[in-house]
Amino acid sequence: MSYLDATQDLYKEAALTPDVGLCCTTTPVWQFPGLSIPKIMQEMNYGCGSTVSAQDLVNNPKILYVGVGGGMELLQFAYFSRQKGGVTGVDTVDEMLEASKKNFKIAEEENDWFQSDFVNLVKGDALNLPVEDESIDVAAQNCLFNIFKMEDLKKAVGEMYRVLKPHGRLVMSDPICEQPMNDALRNDDRLRAQCLSGSIPLKDYVKVLTDAGFGTIEIRGRRSYRVLSPNHYPTDELIHIESIEIAAIKDPMPADGPCMFTGKTAIYYGNEEYFDDKKGHVLLQNQPLAVCDKTAAALAKESDEIHVSESTWHYNGGGCC
């Protein structure tokens, strides 16, 4: 049995018998005015964060969600789209697709604005998406891509890049791990399917995104997620796993490399009214400006009257690159 078969079996079980503790997260279940999320959807929330952000969901976007779970994030996306077929959900597990379909009927009863045909459920593979080129505004996946081994991860990200329109957004939540893992953990298909042993360092995760062509990367959240302890797992040391929320934007790749926002801020505190680096970055006196890591480094060299903060690992838009 391959690790993909193990994943298929795990989520078939989770569709037939909801597993509330499979992927619990510290990210709140976002509630919006007039939106009621059925209890069964919350019980089948198999993500490790959230991929739903109002700032991405303007102008009637076409949305793709890969790995449907119980349908909760599909319903949240439909809240913003509200058009027939505005949201497409793709999954390889028949039982999960069927469970989501049933859950949408419950959602219709609880939400007078929602119609099941707002969401188009499609059987398909993340490694070969049944979606046309450049047809999607926002693509998302939650706690799925970390399951893939590196070559498959590159394929999955490449497929998302293919289907996105120019300047479209890939919004993802996945576990990451900065510590090395031994072969016993890495080769345990069940642990990989449970979104644990496939976790990789953030820099490797980001490199897959930028190698695919995404020119802008936003780190929107980074939180503690799990530990693998010697008394429960085949490891000699405690391994800390975090949950990351990232938006990768299909912007043109800058000549000097991708723009990566990790929550850094620059503040000019000199005596002039503002500081202008003549490269498109103007800092008003004592006013914080969110900047990408490249710009943060450049500004720090430009002047000794600019304070550059450390990465907060939380960024919600604005600023300069």
Side-chain angles (χ1 to χ4, degrees):
M1 176 184 290
S2 73
Y3 81 93
L4 293 175
D5 291 332
T7 302
Q8 187 94 359
D9 289 347
L10 178 73
Y11 286 94
K12 177 180 177 179
E13 295 169 12
L16 296 173
T17 305
D19 186 349
V20 177
L22 181 61
C23 296
C24 63
T25 171
T26 55
T27 301
V29 175
W30 302 123
Q31 301 282 358
F32 302 106
L35 170 63
S36 174
I37 300 175
K39 181 180 178 182
I40 184 63
M41 284 187 173
Q42 297 185 46
E43 291 175 348
M44 296 178 69
N45 176 20
Y46 300 139
C48 60
S50 177
T51 62
V52 181
S53 179
Q55 68 197 51
D56 301 323
L57 303 171
V58 296
N59 300 322
N60 298 316
K62 290 290 186 179
I63 302 161
L64 170 67
Y65 190 76
V66 182
V68 299
M72 185 185 80
E73 287 194 289
L74 290 165
L75 176 64
Q76 291 172 318
F77 280 125
Y79 176 88
F80 291 92
S81 182
R82 302 198 185 193
Q83 56 185 304
K84 183 176 180 179
V87 181
T88 297
V90 175
D91 206 302
T92 63
V93 182
D94 291 324
E95 291 80 4
M96 197 65 79
L97 290 166
E98 186 59 31
S100 291
K101 185 177 180 180
K102 291 179 180 178
N103 292 346
F104 289 143
K105 293 300 181 183
I106 300 173
E108 281 186 332
E109 296 173 1
E110 296 186 13
N111 296 273
D112 56 11
W113 60 268
F114 178 68
Q115 300 174 32
S116 289
D117 64 4
F118 287 173
V119 182
N120 182 30
L121 293 172
V122 180
K123 184 170 183 178
D125 188 340
L127 305 180
N128 187 23
L129 290 171
V131 181
E132 294 181 3
D133 294 358
E134 298 188 352
S135 61
I136 299 296
D137 296 294
V138 178
Q141 68 82 22
N142 195 334
C143 211
L144 170 63
F145 281 13
N146 74 101
I147 291 170
F148 293 131
K149 294 183 178 179
M150 184 54 71
E151 289 308 308
D152 286 338
L153 175 60
K154 292 177 181 178
K155 290 179 184 176
V157 170
E159 278 293 276
M160 291 292 222
Y161 187 88
R162 175 184 66 79
V163 303
L164 279 171
K165 298 175 183 178
H167 308 292
R169 295 166 181 246
L170 169 56
V171 188
M172 310 200 296
S173 178
D174 271 317
I176 60 167
C177 183
E178 301 299 339
Q179 297 168 254
M181 290 192 194
N182 60 43
D183 290 342
L185 290 170
R186 290 294 188 199
N187 296 328
D188 188 315
D189 292 343
R190 184 79 177 179
L191 290 180
R192 183 173 286 273
Q194 290 174 335
C195 304
L196 297 174
S197 65
S199 306
I200 60 177
L202 176 60
K203 65 179 180 60
D204 295 342
Y205 192 93
V206 169
K207 188 175 187 302
V208 172
L209 295 170
T210 56
D211 283 352
F214 290 99
T216 301
I217 307 294
E218 300 177 352
I219 309 296
R220 294 182 170 179
R222 185 172 181 174
R223 304 174 180 88
S224 186
Y225 181 62
R226 294 285 194 278
V227 293
L228 304 181
S229 59
N231 57 319
H232 292 294
Y233 298 92
T235 175
D236 294 329
E237 64 175 347
L238 191 72
I239 296 176
H240 179 223
I241 298 175
E242 298 171 280
S243 171
I244 196 82
E245 293 175 6
I246 285 185
I249 303 173
K250 194 176 178 178
D251 289 337
M253 183 65 68
D256 59 349
C259 294
M260 182 169 172
F261 289 87
T262 64
K264 290 188 175 183
T265 299
I267 300 178
Y268 169 63
Y269 57 88
N271 294 322
E272 302 300 323
E273 185 177 352
Y274 63 88
F275 175 86
D276 185 350
D277 70 352
K278 310 300 182 183
K279 299 175 184 176
H281 309 113
V282 177
L283 280 70
L284 298 179
Q285 220 272 355
N286 209 26
Q287 297 296 312
L289 180 70
V291 290
C292 78
D293 289 10
K294 287 187 307 182
T295 298
L299 289 172
K301 292 179 180 178
E302 287 274 351
S303 170
D304 58 5
E305 295 180 322
I306 296 177
H307 175 271
V308 177
S309 72
E310 298 295 324
S311 298
T312 63
W313 306 110
H314 292 83
Y315 172 78
N316 287 314
C320 291
C321 187

